[in-house]
Amino acid sequence: MGPIGVFDSGYGGLTILQQLRKSLPERDFIYLGDNARAPYGSRSFDVVYEFTRQAVMHLFDMGCDLVILGCNTASAKALRTIQQNDLPLIDPAKRVLGVIRPTVEIIGDLTNSRHVGIVATEGTIRSKSYELEIAKLHPDITVTGQACPLWAAIVEAGEAESEGADYFVSKRIRQLLERDPLIDTIILGCTHYPLLMTALRKAVPAGIRIVPQGEYVANSLVDYLHRHPEMDSRCSRGATMRYYTTESPERFKECARIFLHEDINVEHIDL
């Protein structure tokens, strides 16, 4: 038995981790942030895959049989290759899951107009992962993606409640809705973006639903463990939490406070 691993290129996956801990409070978790090499958003598919594979292997070595990629870019650019090519060779019993599929599965129940917007990093938008996954499950839904440079940086700088945040969020939301005025649901396709909810609520017209991922990812994991008792039995229950970063632990602690609103202990590791 071992903890559930949660990986992100930086801090955004902490919003996923929060919801996972809320839904599965008895479980043990390890969070690994590759902050030294973040952001992943503008990196190539090959680089994101290699960095993500290294992190997953490290979490496996730390005893995790189940790893959640709490990062949209890693989920978009690396998850499928790891699942199809690496896991059969490493250990067919281990599992790596992402954050895109759980959101896509629920989106058909959330939109009435069948027009959905995605706001995300440049890498996630360029990958068209949301469009492809939504087309598989909900071919009647029209998807429009909008890259949002600076949003994640604004959050990490602690400026999510600033006038600057309001400006840049409003600008990208306006561009998105100009491209498809029929959008009635907007998916936050980056795990940093829930911290911009104040600015988003100002910018997004009434009647348009804003969809953060954490709750749906957590619900999906609970359902997954219920449907896969063999994996459920391999995930330990001690209610422990460990944090690791490839960057400065002190820097990680400062930024993590923005996401978690608590002080944590962090250890440095090298990938």
Side-chain angles (χ1 to χ4, degrees), residues 18-120:
Q18 270 189 316
Q19 293 296 327
L20 294 178
R21 292 180 68 189
K22 187 181 297 184
S23 297
L24 297 163
E26 76 284 2
R27 304 288 177 158
D28 298 316
F29 289 96
I30 291 178
Y31 184 90
L32 170 56
D34 189 14
N35 306 85
R37 300 187 293 194
Y40 281 15
S42 59
R43 294 187 182 274
S44 70
F45 274 74
D46 289 343
V47 169
V48 171
Y49 159 69
E50 181 57 29
F51 286 178
T52 304
R53 188 190 66 81
Q54 291 171 4
V56 167
M57 290 296 295
H58 202 95
L59 287 166
F60 285 166
D61 290 342
M62 296 172 80
C64 302
D65 285 333
L66 173 62
V67 174
I68 310 299
L69 301 185
C71 172
N72 281 272
T73 303
S75 296
K77 294 185 176 183
L79 177 61
R80 190 174 300 277
T81 304
I82 289 173
Q83 288 175 331
Q84 295 180 349
N85 297 351
D86 294 315
L87 290 184
L89 300 176
I90 297 167
D91 185 343
K94 295 185 184 295
R95 292 290 181 268
V96 181
L97 306 175
V99 293
I100 293 176
R101 184 76 179 194
T103 314
V104 168
E105 287 176 344
I106 200 69
I107 201 66
D109 297 330
L110 303 180
T111 173
N112 293 317
S113 71
R114 317 309 281 175
H115 288 252
V116 170
I118 314 289
V119 288

Side-chain angles (χ1 to χ4, degrees), residues 172-183:
R172 298 305 176 188
I173 293 297
R174 185 170 62 251
Q175 290 174 342
L176 174 67
L177 296 179
E178 284 173 354
R179 293 168 59 201
D180 185 356
L182 297 180
I183 287 171

Side-chain angles (χ1 to χ4, degrees), residues 41 72-73 76-77 117-131 143-148 176 179 187 189 193:
N72 281 272
T73 303
K77 294 185 176 183
I118 314 289
V119 288
T121 65
E122 179 185 352
T124 298
I125 295 299
R126 196 166 56 240
S127 75
K128 295 191 179 296
S129 293
Y130 276 96
E131 288 93 328
V143 181
T144 304
Q146 176 66 53
C148 300
L176 174 67
R179 293 168 59 201
I187 296 174
Y193 295 176

Side-chain angles (χ1 to χ4, degrees), residues 1 21 28 48 50 76 100 105 109 115 139 156 166-167 182 186 191 201-202 214 226 253:
M1 297 178 68
R21 292 180 68 189
D28 298 316
V48 171
E50 181 57 29
I100 293 176
E105 287 176 344
D109 297 330
H115 288 252
E156 292 189 10
D166 290 346
Y167 170 79
L182 297 180
I186 297 176
T191 49
R201 288 193 175 117
K202 293 177 185 176
H226 178 73
K253 287 170 67 174

